[in-house]
Structures are given as structure tokens and as C-alpha cells.
Amino acid sequence: MSQPVDSPLGQPAPYSQTFGQYPFGQRPFGEAVVVQEPKMPWSKAIAVTIAVFLVAGAVAGWAWQQFAPLAQYTVDENGGALGEEQMTKVFGPDGTFTAIGFLTALVLGALLFWWLRNYGPWAVGIVVVGSALGAGIAWGVGMLLGHDPLQARLETAKPGDLLDAPLELHTWTPLAAWLVGAALAAAIIAATTWRADPVATGSVSAASESSPQVH
């Protein structure tokens, strides 16, 4: 067993010199736990978030074009008409875009907010802005791949032909699904973890500073 090191006055040295600052791994009562500051620069954090949502938006746009149900027009002498069954598919692209966008933003928003949580409330803004960018990219990619104007095809079609409706959004509401998903993920994580990381107000609390030091 190691012997205590004598202090300059000939008295046994305090435990902090013999066994470390906190004997037996215990902290003094009232000492705050310091939250680690973010080590990544703001520019890199924003760049990574934007890059992730850019890629996700492109993939989501492709998936929207591939899986969105499209109504079919029946060509006749007067142009094209939608039957009762096809009328139910008119808003299929809107629903598909909303589902894909919400789930994508929910998952990526949770991962990115957890990664950026040391940035405080600003992490929410970064994630939400990134999700808005992803929504725009998804819409643009889907329109580029699947929006085929109907009028030009009607002019060359024959009576009895079936023509898919152009891929498009009938309202801008589905774009908001990305923002809602990302904001909801950030809110859930913040609500469940905000007490887990106490904010330090100093290395030692007022209670421990006022207590006499034992030598």
C-alpha cells in the first residue's frame, strides 16, 4: 500500500494529492458538470447538413417519380377524360410526396439534431433550413423526371388510348411535410434529453465555495 506524501509542513498530504483530485471517483457535492463545447466549426456543421439533405432530396424526388400513383386519362374525340376510378388518383402524387418527405425529414432530422445538439437552439434552425432545401430538391428532381405535359401527348394520341397524368403537386402543402418532420424530430429529442446535460455555471457551486476548506 502506498504511503501518503508529506506536505512542506510535515503534515500528511490531503487525499487529492495522493489519490487524485476526487478520491474514489466522487465529485464534491454541488459541483456542476461541464457540458462539452462543440468542436466542429459552424461552417462545417452547416455544410454537412446541407449536403445530407441535398442527397436525400434527390433520392426522395426519384422515389416520388417512381412510386406516385398517377391518374390515367382516356382519350376520346374531345380530348381526354377521367373516369370515376381515376378521379381518386388525382391527388396520389401529393400524398406520396408528403409521406416520403415526412419520413425522410423525421429520420434525418433526428440524426442531425442529435449530432448537432451541442450547438443549442441553433441546431433546430440548421436542421429545419436543411429540410426545406431537401423539399425543394425533391420537388425539382421529381418534376424533372416525371412531369410530362399532357396537352402535347393528347395531340398525338388516338381515341381509346390511356395517358398518365403529369406528375405534379396540386398544392404547396406537401412541401411543408419536410419541415414538420424535421422540427418534430428535433422537438422530441430536445424534450427527452434536455435534463440529461446540466449546464455548468462555474467549476464549483456557491454552496461548495462557501464551505470551509479542509487541509
Side-chain angles (χ1 to χ4, degrees):
M1 180 176 179
S2 61
Q3 296 296 327
V5 181
D6 291 339
S7 65
L9 299 178
Q11 300 296 327
Y15 282 107
S16 60
Q17 298 180 13
T18 310
F19 297 99
Q21 185 178 3
Y22 304 120
F24 311 111
Q26 298 178 353
R27 291 178 176 271
F29 175 77
E31 182 170 348
V33 179
V34 178
V35 179
Q36 186 177 7
E37 293 294 332
K39 298 180 180 180
M40 182 178 298
W42 271 104
S43 58
K44 186 176 181 180
I46 295 174
V48 171
T49 302
I50 291 176
V52 169
F53 275 109
L54 282 176
V55 175
V59 175
W62 171 85
W64 178 45
Q65 185 270 332
Q66 289 290 318
F67 301 110
L70 299 176
Q72 289 187 321
Y73 287 85
T74 302
V75 180
D76 54 24
E77 293 78 4
N78 299 321
L82 289 174
E84 292 184 4
E85 182 180 353
Q86 297 302 318
M87 287 290 291
T88 61
K89 298 181 180 180
V90 170
F91 292 97
D94 296 70
T96 304
F97 189 94
T98 300
I100 293 175
F102 178 80
L103 293 177
T104 302
L106 185 69
V107 174
L108 293 182
L111 295 176
L112 289 170
F113 181 77
W114 179 263
W115 178 55
L116 298 171
R117 64 190 184 278
N118 288 337
Y119 288 89
W122 291 105
V124 180
I126 296 175
V127 172
V128 172
V129 171
S131 67
L133 181 61
I137 295 297
W139 175 79
V141 171
M143 292 290 287
L144 181 64
L145 296 177
H147 182 73
D148 191 2
L150 181 62
Q151 186 60 39
R153 290 180 288 148
L154 284 174
E155 293 175 356
T156 59
K158 299 177 181 180
D161 290 346
L162 296 177
L163 300 179
D164 289 336
L167 180 70
E168 59 186 357
L169 293 178
H170 298 85
T171 175
W172 293 101
T173 304
L175 292 170
W178 286 74
L179 283 73
V180 173
L184 180 61
I188 292 175
I189 293 178
T192 56
T193 62
W194 72 281
R195 292 184 181 275
D197 298 324
V199 178
T201 56
S203 59
V204 181
S205 65
S208 60
E209 289 178 355
S210 61
S211 60
Q213 301 292 328
V214 180
H215 297 286

